[in-house]
Amino acid sequence: MKMTLIIAALINLAVAVVHTFVGEASIIAPLMTSDAPDLVKATLHSAWHMISVVLYLSALTLFYLSRREARDPAVKLLSGYIGVQYVALAMVFVVTSVIYGQFFPQIVMLLPIGLLSLWAAQMARKA
């Protein structure tokens, strides 16, 4: 269980770094130079980095949980929550891929974090 959480946390941290820096440069920066109203640009920029916060905090939480005993109720609860959250986030991109007919790589990054976290929660329940 501990190694599962560490792997999920490492993937999560990598996704957070890519999102924060590569995503900012390749997606947000061009949109910020568009003719969209300032309120729209500010809202988009804020929402983008709200997700950055979620990514970093969940990575830290997964690292923290990997240091706890499997019997700790927080391991079951928080790894299960993060698992459901990340599977749901991946499903948003599955639906978006279907609607727009374009594959979004976020699925490949978010789904493993969710599945590993759910697996860790399941192992903790059995401990």
Side-chain angles (χ1 to χ4, degrees):
M1 179 207 67
K2 290 181 183 288
M3 189 53 67
T4 304
L5 288 168
I6 290 170
I7 293 168
L10 288 171
I11 296 169
N12 199 159
L13 183 59
V15 169
V17 170
V18 168
H19 176 84
T20 302
F21 298 105
V22 176
E24 172 78 25
S26 64
I27 296 172
I28 297 301
L31 290 173
M32 297 305 285
T33 62
S34 74
D35 292 334
D38 286 344
L39 181 59
V40 171
K41 291 191 281 189
T43 302
L44 175 64
H45 203 193
S46 297
W48 185 268
H49 287 298
M50 287 171 61
I51 295 299
S52 298
V53 170
V54 169
L55 291 168
Y56 285 109
L57 288 177
S58 58
L60 288 172
T61 301
L62 291 168
F63 276 122
Y64 168 77
L65 293 173
S66 74
R67 308 290 299 160
R68 309 298 301 167
E69 292 296 324
R71 296 183 306 272
D72 185 336
V75 174
K76 293 179 252 189
L77 180 68
L78 291 175
S79 59
Y81 169 78
I82 290 171
V84 169
Q85 177 183 6
Y86 275 73
V87 169
L89 291 171
M91 291 305 106
V92 168
F93 286 105
V94 168
V95 171
T96 304
S97 292
V98 170
I99 291 171
Y100 290 96
Q102 179 177 341
F103 177 74
F104 286 85
Q106 290 87 337
I107 299 164
V108 177
M109 296 181 280
L110 299 172
L111 192 57
I113 299 165
L115 295 176
L116 287 167
S117 297
L118 288 172
W119 187 25
Q122 184 63 27
M123 286 189 279
R125 279 186 204 88
K126 292 179 180 179

